[in-house]
């Protein structure tokens, strides 16, 4: 049974193996303990922090004179593993991120340059993002120029609240079909 309305925020974490071979990894984050649409309990995501690291949380390395990229998405519906990563304009997408690294050192090493300004890798909303589903999905895909598997980790700052009429309207508007 979902917890009732709370003003205190707490954290939910998840991690997915995005690999290093252009094959999308997907993991499920269970929200059933917090969300109860029939009981009108919803989860409000306030912030999302993202980390791209190796298996042990260390710095990624890229093969010599190569560009490497990692793409991640957090969604309310299971992504199609045969398609490219979900995009921010999809109704079920909560947030996306894209990291591009380049190693110009001739041998496998820590990247000489890193850019994450293609998508916002951490997300801050003024009033949060409402979620009324039992599961959300973290997906990631990494290029084969990384010397090791890439793990995408997230930390969500969330709170549980009762879904009143205002929340129901906000939820319906945020997840309505694109025009």
């Amino acid at each position: 049974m979902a917890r009732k309305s709370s003003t205190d925020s707490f954290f939910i974490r998840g991690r997915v193996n995005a690999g290093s071979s252009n094959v999308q990894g997907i993991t499920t984050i269970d929200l059933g303990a917090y969300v109860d649409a029939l009981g009108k309990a919803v989860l409000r995501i306030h912030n999302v922090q993202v980390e791209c690291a190796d298996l042990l949380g260390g710095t990624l390395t890229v093969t010599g004179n190569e560009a490497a990229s990692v793409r991640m998405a957090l969604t309310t519906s299971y992504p199609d593993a045969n398609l490219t990563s979900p995009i921010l304009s999809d109704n079920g997408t909560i947030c996306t991120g894209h990291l591009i690294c380049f190693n110009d050192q001739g041998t496998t090493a820590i990247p000489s340059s890193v850019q994450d300004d293609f998508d916002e890798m951490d997300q801050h909303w003024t009033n949060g993002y409402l979620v009324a589903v039992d599961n959300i999905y973290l997906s990631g895909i990494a290029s084969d120029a990384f010397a090791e598997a890439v793990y995408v980790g997230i930390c969500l700052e969330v709170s549980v609240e009762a879904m009143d009429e205002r929340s129901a309207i906000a939820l319906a508007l945020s997840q309505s079909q694109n025009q």
Side-chain angles (χ1 to χ4, degrees), residues 11-19 24-31 48-60 70-74 136-141 148-156:
F11 300 95
I12 296 175
R13 292 171 173 80
R15 190 173 193 210
V16 66
N17 181 350
Q24 185 174 22
I26 302 169
T27 193
T28 302
I29 300 172
D30 182 8
L31 303 178
V48 178
Q49 296 295 312
V50 178
E51 169 191 64
C52 295
D54 67 12
L55 175 64
L56 301 175
T59 304
L60 297 168
V70 179
R71 181 133 174 86
M72 63 75 60
L74 186 64
I136 55 177
Y137 305 92
L138 176 61
S139 62
I141 187 168
E148 66 277 304
V150 177
Y151 288 81
V152 176
I154 60 167
C155 181
L156 308 173

Side-chain angles (χ1 to χ4, degrees), residues 6-11 46 157-160:
S6 170
T7 57
D8 295 332
S9 64
F10 58 99
F11 300 95
H46 301 283
E157 180 186 7
V158 300
S159 60
V160 176

Side-chain angles (χ1 to χ4, degrees), residues 63-66 102-107 110-113:
T63 55
N65 296 322
E66 293 282 339
F102 181 71
N103 173 10
D104 64 359
Q105 302 169 56
T107 63
I110 295 172
S112 359
S113 67

Side-chain angles (χ1 to χ4, degrees), residues 2-4 34-37 39-43 131-132 160-163:
R3 299 195 295 182
K4 294 299 175 190
Y34 314 108
V35 174
D36 181 5
K40 299 183 180 179
V42 295
L43 191 74
V131 176
V160 176
E161 62 184 59
M163 185 163 45

